[in-house]
Amino acid sequence: MKRRTFISNIGMASAGLALMPTACTKSEDTEILILGGGISGLYLAYMLEKVDKDYILLEGSDRFGGRMFTRTDINRDVGGRGIGDKYAYMLQLIEASGAEMIDITEYMNSPSAIYMNGKLRHPWPEEEVKPASLQYMALGKSDYLKGLDSWYKSPEWDEAYSSFLSRNGLTQEQIDLTNISANYNDIRETSALNAHHSRAFVKYNGSKRVLNFKGGTKAFIDKVVAMLSKPLHANKMVTHIDDQSSGVRVKCQDGSSYRAKKVVSTLPFTTLRDVKMNMAFNENQKKAINTLDYTNITQIHLTHSEEYWKEDGIPMGMWTDTPLERIMNMSALPDETEMACWVNGKGTAFFDKMTEKEIADFTIKTLHKMRPASKGKIEYLGTQNWGKYPYNKGAYIEFGVGQAAWFEDMIKPVGNLYFAGEHTANNNRGMEAAAESAMRVFNELMT
Ligand SMILES: Cc1cc2nc3c(=O)[nH]c(=O)nc-3n(C[C@H](O)[C@H](O)[C@H](O)COP(=O)(O)OP(=O)(O)OC[C@H]3O[C@@H](n4cnc5c(N)ncnc54)[C@H](O)[C@@H]3O)c2cc1C
């Protein structure tokens, strides 16, 4: 493929690409502008290359991949990395890129201990249900969605997730425990439809094994970028989208501007709502762009120098009622020493006020208290706060009660502006959702 990629101001040495700073103060024209260089934007670029369509991709941060993110300062994957073995769209791109995969299913199923009310317990007491299982037990009592594409058309299940769990037999204590363990901001506000959709995705997608990218997600993203021949500009934070009769004009924070016949936004609604736009959005679109919430996740990344869990005989993974919430084994290979505390939703506010040093000290001290055997064997690496990360402001879309009814309208093209991204997908979740949305928009653009 002819190499004429213009990657502005971005260190892509590992992809073997030359640095080419672009001072785009004058307007650049193209057929299709792709806003956002996460996996949905890159996937769309890959599809457009196949039919030889001209495009320019604008990415606000200094790297590509978006929520697929290897933080090189701490050498850790901090975003999406688990690929199901039935992720058809993603596997197609993975194959085309030549990226190598490793199977991490075994690590995903590692056992967990529990630390509550100052006591560490393992094995799990027979009479108690594991936090992770509580919600699945309740979901198991209800019917599946008829199909994945019916998820947002099921108003009978559009209720607070906590009400659904309560109707299906969970006690208040169990609901509180679920609020720590479930990947939502607050299950008293989030719609049960999010959980029904996730559960249906597991069933209908049918993935049984989980794969990771060998060498980290950056290795894959670099390979995808290297496959693309058209301009990919980093450090282009979009501030204005102006739909004019002659086409669309997009302006960036650095003063550069671009014109195109059509524009595809893959931006999360949390950042798109800061962009000034002049289109005649429908009412549901307006509400969705302005108010849809994303789940806050804060990960505290750690490394261990010794396998202290072999000393005390309790698994490394733990569910806790401390502000650290969950302690997870993040290693994908036997010689890796990755672990992280994974804090969801409202619990993230506890760490938002702290300095990095305070987070490190608190984490190590709390771990030592829970696991005396870990003393001197755990080191703090860094914190990834997705809620405060300026390019996403949240980890993934989370529909509140009543908001799923906006879905059909919110993904409709308006004028020459089209929508892609994880939040606009119908049948899938996560990275596969992002890829699905790129395929949908590709078809919309081609008709
Ligand atoms: C911690 C975590 C764990 C996850 N785990 C999994 C998993 O195991 N499996 C799975 O399938 N999925 C997982 N996901 C979800 C998955 O990573 C995402 O769904 C997917 O990567 C989203 O891709 P996207 O292209 O839609 O959005 P993004 O990756 O967010 O791409 C949007 C891009 O737009 C850019 N941008 C934002 N605003 C502007 C602007 N104004 N101008 C220009 N550019 C802008 C951003 O920098 C970003 O690069 C996880 C996500 C997180 C955060």
PDB file of all heavy atoms in Angstrom, residues 134-143 156-170 175 187-188 190-193 195-196 199:
ATOM      1  N   LEU A 134     -24.202 -12.298  42.453  1.00  0.00           N
ATOM      2  CA  LEU A 134     -25.505 -11.825  42.923  1.00  0.00           C
ATOM      3  C   LEU A 134     -26.383 -11.337  41.777  1.00  0.00           C
ATOM      4  O   LEU A 134     -27.540 -11.739  41.644  1.00  0.00           O
ATOM      5  CB  LEU A 134     -25.311 -10.669  43.916  1.00  0.00           C
ATOM      6  CG  LEU A 134     -24.784 -11.064  45.295  1.00  0.00           C
ATOM      7  CD1 LEU A 134     -24.388  -9.819  46.080  1.00  0.00           C
ATOM      8  CD2 LEU A 134     -25.827 -11.861  46.054  1.00  0.00           C
ATOM      9  N   GLN A 135     -25.805 -10.479  40.935  1.00  0.00           N
ATOM     10  CA  GLN A 135     -26.626  -9.923  39.863  1.00  0.00           C
ATOM     11  C   GLN A 135     -26.967 -10.977  38.818  1.00  0.00           C
ATOM     12  O   GLN A 135     -28.061 -10.970  38.258  1.00  0.00           O
ATOM     13  CB  GLN A 135     -25.986  -8.703  39.233  1.00  0.00           C
ATOM     14  CG  GLN A 135     -24.526  -8.802  38.987  1.00  0.00           C
ATOM     15  CD  GLN A 135     -24.009  -7.598  38.201  1.00  0.00           C
ATOM     16  OE1 GLN A 135     -24.750  -6.963  37.466  1.00  0.00           O
ATOM     17  NE2 GLN A 135     -22.735  -7.306  38.361  1.00  0.00           N
ATOM     18  N   TYR A 136     -26.037 -11.921  38.576  1.00  0.00           N
ATOM     19  CA  TYR A 136     -26.313 -12.938  37.561  1.00  0.00           C
ATOM     20  C   TYR A 136     -27.394 -13.904  38.031  1.00  0.00           C
ATOM     21  O   TYR A 136     -28.170 -14.425  37.249  1.00  0.00           O
ATOM     22  CB  TYR A 136     -25.015 -13.636  37.156  1.00  0.00           C
ATOM     23  CG  TYR A 136     -24.060 -12.633  36.591  1.00  0.00           C
ATOM     24  CD1 TYR A 136     -22.891 -12.297  37.251  1.00  0.00           C
ATOM     25  CD2 TYR A 136     -24.397 -11.927  35.435  1.00  0.00           C
ATOM     26  CE1 TYR A 136     -22.064 -11.306  36.752  1.00  0.00           C
ATOM     27  CE2 TYR A 136     -23.575 -10.939  34.941  1.00  0.00           C
ATOM     28  CZ  TYR A 136     -22.405 -10.627  35.600  1.00  0.00           C
ATOM     29  OH  TYR A 136     -21.609  -9.627  35.114  1.00  0.00           O
ATOM     30  N   MET A 137     -27.420 -14.098  39.363  1.00  0.00           N
ATOM     31  CA  MET A 137     -28.469 -14.940  39.943  1.00  0.00           C
ATOM     32  C   MET A 137     -29.840 -14.310  39.662  1.00  0.00           C
ATOM     33  O   MET A 137     -30.765 -14.969  39.218  1.00  0.00           O
ATOM     34  CB  MET A 137     -28.253 -14.974  41.457  1.00  0.00           C
ATOM     35  CG  MET A 137     -28.570 -16.264  42.124  1.00  0.00           C
ATOM     36  SD  MET A 137     -28.048 -16.129  43.850  1.00  0.00           S
ATOM     37  CE  MET A 137     -29.062 -14.804  44.465  1.00  0.00           C
ATOM     38  N   ALA A 138     -29.919 -12.991  39.890  1.00  0.00           N
ATOM     39  CA  ALA A 138     -31.183 -12.284  39.667  1.00  0.00           C
ATOM     40  C   ALA A 138     -31.520 -12.237  38.175  1.00  0.00           C
ATOM     41  O   ALA A 138     -32.668 -12.483  37.775  1.00  0.00           O
ATOM     42  CB  ALA A 138     -31.088 -10.877  40.232  1.00  0.00           C
ATOM     43  N   LEU A 139     -30.525 -11.954  37.360  1.00  0.00           N
ATOM     44  CA  LEU A 139     -30.770 -11.891  35.916  1.00  0.00           C
ATOM     45  C   LEU A 139     -31.215 -13.255  35.393  1.00  0.00           C
ATOM     46  O   LEU A 139     -32.073 -13.355  34.512  1.00  0.00           O
ATOM     47  CB  LEU A 139     -29.504 -11.455  35.170  1.00  0.00           C
ATOM     48  CG  LEU A 139     -29.140  -9.973  35.272  1.00  0.00           C
ATOM     49  CD1 LEU A 139     -27.705  -9.731  34.829  1.00  0.00           C
ATOM     50  CD2 LEU A 139     -30.085  -9.123  34.439  1.00  0.00           C
ATOM     51  N   GLY A 140     -30.650 -14.296  35.983  1.00  0.00           N
ATOM     52  CA  GLY A 140     -30.982 -15.660  35.560  1.00  0.00           C
ATOM     53  C   GLY A 140     -32.431 -16.003  35.796  1.00  0.00           C
ATOM     54  O   GLY A 140     -32.997 -16.887  35.140  1.00  0.00           O
ATOM     55  N   LYS A 141     -33.069 -15.291  36.744  1.00  0.00           N
ATOM     56  CA  LYS A 141     -34.482 -15.574  37.034  1.00  0.00           C
ATOM     57  C   LYS A 141     -35.410 -14.923  36.009  1.00  0.00           C
ATOM     58  O   LYS A 141     -36.589 -15.216  35.967  1.00  0.00           O
ATOM     59  CB  LYS A 141     -34.834 -15.034  38.423  1.00  0.00           C
ATOM     60  CG  LYS A 141     -34.247 -15.853  39.547  1.00  0.00           C
ATOM     61  CD  LYS A 141     -34.755 -15.317  40.883  1.00  0.00           C
ATOM     62  CE  LYS A 141     -34.009 -15.976  42.024  1.00  0.00           C
ATOM     63  NZ  LYS A 141     -34.156 -15.225  43.259  1.00  0.00           N
ATOM     64  N   SER A 142     -34.874 -13.972  35.248  1.00  0.00           N
ATOM     65  CA  SER A 142     -35.746 -13.307  34.270  1.00  0.00           C
ATOM     66  C   SER A 142     -35.438 -13.851  32.874  1.00  0.00           C
ATOM     67  O   SER A 142     -34.443 -14.533  32.664  1.00  0.00           O
ATOM     68  CB  SER A 142     -35.521 -11.794  34.312  1.00  0.00           C
ATOM     69  OG  SER A 142     -34.352 -11.466  33.632  1.00  0.00           O
ATOM     70  N   ASP A 143     -36.316 -13.505  31.929  1.00  0.00           N
ATOM     71  CA  ASP A 143     -36.109 -13.976  30.551  1.00  0.00           C
ATOM     72  C   ASP A 143     -34.936 -13.240  29.911  1.00  0.00           C
ATOM     73  O   ASP A 143     -34.599 -12.139  30.304  1.00  0.00           O
ATOM     74  CB  ASP A 143     -37.343 -13.661  29.699  1.00  0.00           C
ATOM     75  CG  ASP A 143     -38.501 -14.533  30.115  1.00  0.00           C
ATOM     76  OD1 ASP A 143     -38.241 -15.611  30.679  1.00  0.00           O
ATOM     77  OD2 ASP A 143     -39.648 -14.112  29.881  1.00  0.00           O
ATOM     78  N   GLU A 156     -40.450  -2.593  29.332  1.00  0.00           N
ATOM     79  CA  GLU A 156     -40.862  -3.319  30.545  1.00  0.00           C
ATOM     80  C   GLU A 156     -39.665  -3.595  31.463  1.00  0.00           C
ATOM     81  O   GLU A 156     -39.846  -3.848  32.654  1.00  0.00           O
ATOM     82  CB  GLU A 156     -41.605  -4.614  30.175  1.00  0.00           C
ATOM     83  CG  GLU A 156     -40.801  -5.729  29.515  1.00  0.00           C
ATOM     84  CD  GLU A 156     -40.556  -5.558  28.006  1.00  0.00           C
ATOM     85  OE1 GLU A 156     -40.739  -4.444  27.492  1.00  0.00           O
ATOM     86  OE2 GLU A 156     -40.161  -6.550  27.367  1.00  0.00           O
ATOM     87  N   TRP A 157     -38.459  -3.564  30.929  1.00  0.00           N
ATOM     88  CA  TRP A 157     -37.272  -3.797  31.766  1.00  0.00           C
ATOM     89  C   TRP A 157     -36.467  -2.523  32.011  1.00  0.00           C
ATOM     90  O   TRP A 157     -35.359  -2.573  32.516  1.00  0.00           O
ATOM     91  CB  TRP A 157     -36.373  -4.870  31.126  1.00  0.00           C
ATOM     92  CG  TRP A 157     -36.940  -6.241  31.300  1.00  0.00           C
ATOM     93  CD1 TRP A 157     -37.836  -6.632  32.245  1.00  0.00           C
ATOM     94  CD2 TRP A 157     -36.650  -7.390  30.519  1.00  0.00           C
ATOM     95  NE1 TRP A 157     -38.128  -7.961  32.107  1.00  0.00           N
ATOM     96  CE2 TRP A 157     -37.408  -8.453  31.049  1.00  0.00           C
ATOM     97  CE3 TRP A 157     -35.826  -7.642  29.431  1.00  0.00           C
ATOM     98  CZ2 TRP A 157     -37.371  -9.733  30.528  1.00  0.00           C
ATOM     99  CZ3 TRP A 157     -35.787  -8.916  28.915  1.00  0.00           C
ATOM    100  CH2 TRP A 157     -36.554  -9.955  29.460  1.00  0.00           C
ATOM    101  N   ASP A 158     -37.021  -1.400  31.590  1.00  0.00           N
ATOM    102  CA  ASP A 158     -36.312  -0.137  31.769  1.00  0.00           C
ATOM    103  C   ASP A 158     -36.660   0.442  33.139  1.00  0.00           C
ATOM    104  O   ASP A 158     -37.503   1.321  33.272  1.00  0.00           O
ATOM    105  CB  ASP A 158     -36.705   0.835  30.643  1.00  0.00           C
ATOM    106  CG  ASP A 158     -35.786   2.042  30.589  1.00  0.00           C
ATOM    107  OD1 ASP A 158     -34.811   2.076  31.370  1.00  0.00           O
ATOM    108  OD2 ASP A 158     -36.046   2.950  29.772  1.00  0.00           O
ATOM    109  N   GLU A 159     -36.019  -0.093  34.148  1.00  0.00           N
ATOM    110  CA  GLU A 159     -36.249   0.351  35.530  1.00  0.00           C
ATOM    111  C   GLU A 159     -34.886   0.431  36.204  1.00  0.00           C
ATOM    112  O   GLU A 159     -33.895  -0.059  35.661  1.00  0.00           O
ATOM    113  CB  GLU A 159     -37.117  -0.687  36.264  1.00  0.00           C
ATOM    114  CG  GLU A 159     -36.453  -2.061  36.297  1.00  0.00           C
ATOM    115  CD  GLU A 159     -37.289  -3.142  36.981  1.00  0.00           C
ATOM    116  OE1 GLU A 159     -37.908  -2.840  38.000  1.00  0.00           O
ATOM    117  OE2 GLU A 159     -37.283  -4.283  36.469  1.00  0.00           O
ATOM    118  N   ALA A 160     -34.837   1.052  37.401  1.00  0.00           N
ATOM    119  CA  ALA A 160     -33.546   1.120  38.103  1.00  0.00           C
ATOM    120  C   ALA A 160     -33.051  -0.308  38.329  1.00  0.00           C
ATOM    121  O   ALA A 160     -33.829  -1.192  38.698  1.00  0.00           O
ATOM    122  CB  ALA A 160     -33.719   1.837  39.426  1.00  0.00           C
ATOM    123  N   TYR A 161     -31.777  -0.523  38.104  1.00  0.00           N
ATOM    124  CA  TYR A 161     -31.230  -1.880  38.223  1.00  0.00           C
ATOM    125  C   TYR A 161     -31.431  -2.404  39.653  1.00  0.00           C
ATOM    126  O   TYR A 161     -31.721  -3.582  39.864  1.00  0.00           O
ATOM    127  CB  TYR A 161     -29.745  -1.854  37.829  1.00  0.00           C
ATOM    128  CG  TYR A 161     -29.115  -3.210  37.648  1.00  0.00           C
ATOM    129  CD1 TYR A 161     -29.862  -4.305  37.246  1.00  0.00           C
ATOM    130  CD2 TYR A 161     -27.749  -3.390  37.869  1.00  0.00           C
ATOM    131  CE1 TYR A 161     -29.273  -5.552  37.063  1.00  0.00           C
ATOM    132  CE2 TYR A 161     -27.149  -4.622  37.689  1.00  0.00           C
ATOM    133  CZ  TYR A 161     -27.916  -5.706  37.293  1.00  0.00           C
ATOM    134  OH  TYR A 161     -27.325  -6.927  37.119  1.00  0.00           O
ATOM    135  N   SER A 162     -31.326  -1.509  40.646  1.00  0.00           N
ATOM    136  CA  SER A 162     -31.512  -1.942  42.035  1.00  0.00           C
ATOM    137  C   SER A 162     -32.947  -2.437  42.253  1.00  0.00           C
ATOM    138  O   SER A 162     -33.164  -3.407  42.984  1.00  0.00           O
ATOM    139  CB  SER A 162     -31.185  -0.803  43.001  1.00  0.00           C
ATOM    140  OG  SER A 162     -31.975   0.313  42.700  1.00  0.00           O
ATOM    141  N   SER A 163     -33.946  -1.805  41.603  1.00  0.00           N
ATOM    142  CA  SER A 163     -35.348  -2.255  41.760  1.00  0.00           C
ATOM    143  C   SER A 163     -35.505  -3.642  41.156  1.00  0.00           C
ATOM    144  O   SER A 163     -36.163  -4.517  41.726  1.00  0.00           O
ATOM    145  CB  SER A 163     -36.333  -1.331  41.037  1.00  0.00           C
ATOM    146  OG  SER A 163     -36.090  -0.025  41.376  1.00  0.00           O
ATOM    147  N   PHE A 164     -34.883  -3.847  40.000  1.00  0.00           N
ATOM    148  CA  PHE A 164     -34.948  -5.161  39.361  1.00  0.00           C
ATOM    149  C   PHE A 164     -34.350  -6.227  40.285  1.00  0.00           C
ATOM    150  O   PHE A 164     -34.924  -7.306  40.482  1.00  0.00           O
ATOM    151  CB  PHE A 164     -34.197  -5.126  38.022  1.00  0.00           C
ATOM    152  CG  PHE A 164     -33.956  -6.489  37.437  1.00  0.00           C
ATOM    153  CD1 PHE A 164     -34.953  -7.140  36.723  1.00  0.00           C
ATOM    154  CD2 PHE A 164     -32.745  -7.138  37.646  1.00  0.00           C
ATOM    155  CE1 PHE A 164     -34.742  -8.423  36.216  1.00  0.00           C
ATOM    156  CE2 PHE A 164     -32.524  -8.414  37.142  1.00  0.00           C
ATOM    157  CZ  PHE A 164     -33.525  -9.057  36.425  1.00  0.00           C
ATOM    158  N   LEU A 165     -33.181  -5.900  40.870  1.00  0.00           N
ATOM    159  CA  LEU A 165     -32.506  -6.880  41.739  1.00  0.00           C
ATOM    160  C   LEU A 165     -33.355  -7.152  42.981  1.00  0.00           C
ATOM    161  O   LEU A 165     -33.479  -8.294  43.429  1.00  0.00           O
ATOM    162  CB  LEU A 165     -31.119  -6.364  42.142  1.00  0.00           C
ATOM    163  CG  LEU A 165     -30.117  -6.200  40.995  1.00  0.00           C
ATOM    164  CD1 LEU A 165     -28.834  -5.557  41.494  1.00  0.00           C
ATOM    165  CD2 LEU A 165     -29.804  -7.538  40.324  1.00  0.00           C
ATOM    166  N   SER A 166     -33.966  -6.112  43.507  1.00  0.00           N
ATOM    167  CA  SER A 166     -34.795  -6.267  44.700  1.00  0.00           C
ATOM    168  C   SER A 166     -36.023  -7.146  44.389  1.00  0.00           C
ATOM    169  O   SER A 166     -36.355  -8.055  45.142  1.00  0.00           O
ATOM    170  CB  SER A 166     -35.205  -4.871  45.163  1.00  0.00           C
ATOM    171  OG  SER A 166     -36.224  -4.953  46.078  1.00  0.00           O
ATOM    172  N   ARG A 167     -36.671  -6.890  43.254  1.00  0.00           N
ATOM    173  CA  ARG A 167     -37.836  -7.713  42.861  1.00  0.00           C
ATOM    174  C   ARG A 167     -37.445  -9.168  42.671  1.00  0.00           C
ATOM    175  O   ARG A 167     -38.262 -10.072  42.787  1.00  0.00           O
ATOM    176  CB  ARG A 167     -38.411  -7.202  41.534  1.00  0.00           C
ATOM    177  CG  ARG A 167     -39.421  -6.103  41.678  1.00  0.00           C
ATOM    178  CD  ARG A 167     -40.276  -5.903  40.445  1.00  0.00           C
ATOM    179  NE  ARG A 167     -39.517  -5.559  39.246  1.00  0.00           N
ATOM    180  CZ  ARG A 167     -39.281  -6.385  38.243  1.00  0.00           C
ATOM    181  NH1 ARG A 167     -39.720  -7.613  38.271  1.00  0.00           N
ATOM    182  NH2 ARG A 167     -38.595  -5.982  37.182  1.00  0.00           N
ATOM    183  N   ASN A 168     -36.168  -9.386  42.354  1.00  0.00           N
ATOM    184  CA  ASN A 168     -35.719 -10.759  42.106  1.00  0.00           C
ATOM    185  C   ASN A 168     -34.966 -11.350  43.300  1.00  0.00           C
ATOM    186  O   ASN A 168     -34.131 -12.229  43.149  1.00  0.00           O
ATOM    187  CB  ASN A 168     -34.884 -10.820  40.837  1.00  0.00           C
ATOM    188  CG  ASN A 168     -35.778 -10.768  39.606  1.00  0.00           C
ATOM    189  OD1 ASN A 168     -36.355 -11.776  39.214  1.00  0.00           O
ATOM    190  ND2 ASN A 168     -35.941  -9.585  39.052  1.00  0.00           N
ATOM    191  N   GLY A 169     -35.286 -10.835  44.480  1.00  0.00           N
ATOM    192  CA  GLY A 169     -34.890 -11.524  45.711  1.00  0.00           C
ATOM    193  C   GLY A 169     -33.636 -11.074  46.415  1.00  0.00           C
ATOM    194  O   GLY A 169     -33.253 -11.672  47.420  1.00  0.00           O
ATOM    195  N   LEU A 170     -32.936 -10.032  45.921  1.00  0.00           N
ATOM    196  CA  LEU A 170     -31.726  -9.618  46.623  1.00  0.00           C
ATOM    197  C   LEU A 170     -32.083  -8.758  47.837  1.00  0.00           C
ATOM    198  O   LEU A 170     -32.982  -7.914  47.761  1.00  0.00           O
ATOM    199  CB  LEU A 170     -30.796  -8.824  45.689  1.00  0.00           C
ATOM    200  CG  LEU A 170     -29.689  -9.634  45.025  1.00  0.00           C
ATOM    201  CD1 LEU A 170     -30.280 -10.673  44.089  1.00  0.00           C
ATOM    202  CD2 LEU A 170     -28.732  -8.744  44.258  1.00  0.00           C
ATOM    203  N   ILE A 175     -27.744  -5.859  47.604  1.00  0.00           N
ATOM    204  CA  ILE A 175     -27.801  -4.799  46.574  1.00  0.00           C
ATOM    205  C   ILE A 175     -26.630  -3.831  46.774  1.00  0.00           C
ATOM    206  O   ILE A 175     -25.967  -3.423  45.818  1.00  0.00           O
ATOM    207  CB  ILE A 175     -29.171  -4.080  46.610  1.00  0.00           C
ATOM    208  CG1 ILE A 175     -30.242  -5.032  46.077  1.00  0.00           C
ATOM    209  CG2 ILE A 175     -29.150  -2.777  45.814  1.00  0.00           C
ATOM    210  CD1 ILE A 175     -31.658  -4.544  46.182  1.00  0.00           C
ATOM    211  N   ILE A 187     -26.228   1.689  40.791  1.00  0.00           N
ATOM    212  CA  ILE A 187     -27.299   0.821  40.279  1.00  0.00           C
ATOM    213  C   ILE A 187     -28.681   1.309  40.702  1.00  0.00           C
ATOM    214  O   ILE A 187     -29.688   0.797  40.232  1.00  0.00           O
ATOM    215  CB  ILE A 187     -27.107  -0.660  40.670  1.00  0.00           C
ATOM    216  CG1 ILE A 187     -27.098  -0.838  42.186  1.00  0.00           C
ATOM    217  CG2 ILE A 187     -25.839  -1.211  40.048  1.00  0.00           C
ATOM    218  CD1 ILE A 187     -27.137  -2.298  42.601  1.00  0.00           C
ATOM    219  N   ARG A 188     -28.728   2.360  41.537  1.00  0.00           N
ATOM    220  CA  ARG A 188     -30.048   2.928  41.870  1.00  0.00           C
ATOM    221  C   ARG A 188     -30.504   3.881  40.767  1.00  0.00           C
ATOM    222  O   ARG A 188     -31.634   4.305  40.721  1.00  0.00           O
ATOM    223  CB  ARG A 188     -29.983   3.662  43.215  1.00  0.00           C
ATOM    224  CG  ARG A 188     -29.806   2.699  44.391  1.00  0.00           C
ATOM    225  CD  ARG A 188     -29.405   3.417  45.634  1.00  0.00           C
ATOM    226  NE  ARG A 188     -28.124   4.104  45.429  1.00  0.00           N
ATOM    227  CZ  ARG A 188     -27.443   4.721  46.382  1.00  0.00           C
ATOM    228  NH1 ARG A 188     -27.934   4.781  47.606  1.00  0.00           N
ATOM    229  NH2 ARG A 188     -26.299   5.305  46.131  1.00  0.00           N
ATOM    230  N   THR A 190     -28.881   3.614  37.279  1.00  0.00           N
ATOM    231  CA  THR A 190     -28.671   3.029  35.955  1.00  0.00           C
ATOM    232  C   THR A 190     -29.845   2.102  35.602  1.00  0.00           C
ATOM    233  O   THR A 190     -30.453   1.498  36.476  1.00  0.00           O
ATOM    234  CB  THR A 190     -27.322   2.270  35.904  1.00  0.00           C
ATOM    235  OG1 THR A 190     -27.005   2.007  34.549  1.00  0.00           O
ATOM    236  CG2 THR A 190     -27.365   0.952  36.638  1.00  0.00           C
ATOM    237  N   SER A 191     -30.144   2.029  34.300  1.00  0.00           N
ATOM    238  CA  SER A 191     -31.270   1.192  33.885  1.00  0.00           C
ATOM    239  C   SER A 191     -30.866  -0.282  33.880  1.00  0.00           C
ATOM    240  O   SER A 191     -29.746  -0.629  33.476  1.00  0.00           O
ATOM    241  CB  SER A 191     -31.715   1.596  32.475  1.00  0.00           C
ATOM    242  OG  SER A 191     -32.618   0.637  31.978  1.00  0.00           O
ATOM    243  N   ALA A 192     -31.798  -1.132  34.284  1.00  0.00           N
ATOM    244  CA  ALA A 192     -31.562  -2.582  34.236  1.00  0.00           C
ATOM    245  C   ALA A 192     -31.302  -3.038  32.800  1.00  0.00           C
ATOM    246  O   ALA A 192     -30.696  -4.090  32.587  1.00  0.00           O
ATOM    247  CB  ALA A 192     -32.774  -3.315  34.808  1.00  0.00           C
ATOM    248  N   LEU A 193     -31.720  -2.223  31.821  1.00  0.00           N
ATOM    249  CA  LEU A 193     -31.508  -2.611  30.417  1.00  0.00           C
ATOM    250  C   LEU A 193     -30.024  -2.773  30.078  1.00  0.00           C
ATOM    251  O   LEU A 193     -29.660  -3.591  29.247  1.00  0.00           O
ATOM    252  CB  LEU A 193     -32.121  -1.560  29.484  1.00  0.00           C
ATOM    253  CG  LEU A 193     -33.607  -1.710  29.218  1.00  0.00           C
ATOM    254  CD1 LEU A 193     -34.116  -0.522  28.403  1.00  0.00           C
ATOM    255  CD2 LEU A 193     -33.906  -3.011  28.488  1.00  0.00           C
ATOM    256  N   ALA A 195     -27.770  -4.046  31.970  1.00  0.00           N
ATOM    257  CA  ALA A 195     -27.379  -5.387  32.427  1.00  0.00           C
ATOM    258  C   ALA A 195     -28.016  -6.462  31.552  1.00  0.00           C
ATOM    259  O   ALA A 195     -27.364  -7.465  31.216  1.00  0.00           O
ATOM    260  CB  ALA A 195     -27.801  -5.577  33.877  1.00  0.00           C
ATOM    261  N   HIS A 196     -29.275  -6.264  31.150  1.00  0.00           N
ATOM    262  CA  HIS A 196     -29.927  -7.245  30.261  1.00  0.00           C
ATOM    263  C   HIS A 196     -29.187  -7.312  28.923  1.00  0.00           C
ATOM    264  O   HIS A 196     -29.019  -8.377  28.344  1.00  0.00           O
ATOM    265  CB  HIS A 196     -31.388  -6.868  30.023  1.00  0.00           C
ATOM    266  CG  HIS A 196     -32.257  -7.083  31.226  1.00  0.00           C
ATOM    267  ND1 HIS A 196     -32.523  -8.332  31.746  1.00  0.00           N
ATOM    268  CD2 HIS A 196     -32.914  -6.215  32.024  1.00  0.00           C
ATOM    269  CE1 HIS A 196     -33.302  -8.228  32.802  1.00  0.00           C
ATOM    270  NE2 HIS A 196     -33.557  -6.949  32.993  1.00  0.00           N
ATOM    271  N   ARG A 199     -25.914  -9.181  29.403  1.00  0.00           N
ATOM    272  CA  ARG A 199     -26.136 -10.619  29.575  1.00  0.00           C
ATOM    273  C   ARG A 199     -26.513 -11.263  28.232  1.00  0.00           C
ATOM    274  O   ARG A 199     -26.030 -12.343  27.884  1.00  0.00           O
ATOM    275  CB  ARG A 199     -27.266 -10.809  30.597  1.00  0.00           C
ATOM    276  CG  ARG A 199     -27.699 -12.235  30.805  1.00  0.00           C
ATOM    277  CD  ARG A 199     -28.606 -12.286  32.017  1.00  0.00           C
ATOM    278  NE  ARG A 199     -29.210 -13.596  32.166  1.00  0.00           N
ATOM    279  CZ  ARG A 199     -30.427 -13.902  31.723  1.00  0.00           C
ATOM    280  NH1 ARG A 199     -31.139 -12.988  31.091  1.00  0.00           N
ATOM    281  NH2 ARG A 199     -30.914 -15.101  31.926  1.00  0.00           N
TER     282      ARG A 199
END
